[in-house]
Amino acid sequence: MNNKQLIDISTVEITGDAVSERLASFVKAVKNPYCFRVKATHVKIVFSDKANAPSVENLLVNIAARRFN
């Protein structure tokens, strides 16, 4: 997927009051929460398979909270 096909999260509007609603809004808008862009920067999220690595859910909530709070 080229950079132009990725959703630019700097233009995404997130709705909802609860964290779960905002996360669902983010995923719906971005379509692929693992691969998106911020302006011209391509972002690909990968996760560790180590036992002590944080969960996908916690990482996505943290991303959404930092971006939209």
Side-chain angles (χ1 to χ4, degrees), residues 1-64:
M1 186 175 281
N2 72 40
N3 218 22
K4 294 288 185 197
Q5 293 173 310
L6 297 174
I7 303 298
D8 180 358
I9 66 167
S10 66
T11 64
V12 170
E13 185 174 327
I14 301 302
T15 59
D17 294 324
V19 171
S20 60
E21 292 171 342
R22 292 194 318 262
L23 182 57
S25 177
F26 173 78
V27 171
K28 184 177 179 181
V30 174
K31 299 188 180 29
N32 182 353
Y34 303 105
C35 196
F36 52 87
R37 67 185 166 94
V38 180
K39 300 191 188 229
T41 303
H42 180 137
V43 178
K44 182 176 181 181
I45 299 174
V46 294
F47 298 95
S48 173
D49 61 354
K50 295 180 181 176
N52 62 346
S55 71
V56 171
E57 292 83 5
N58 286 340
L59 292 169
L60 289 173
V61 166
N62 289 338
I63 291 168

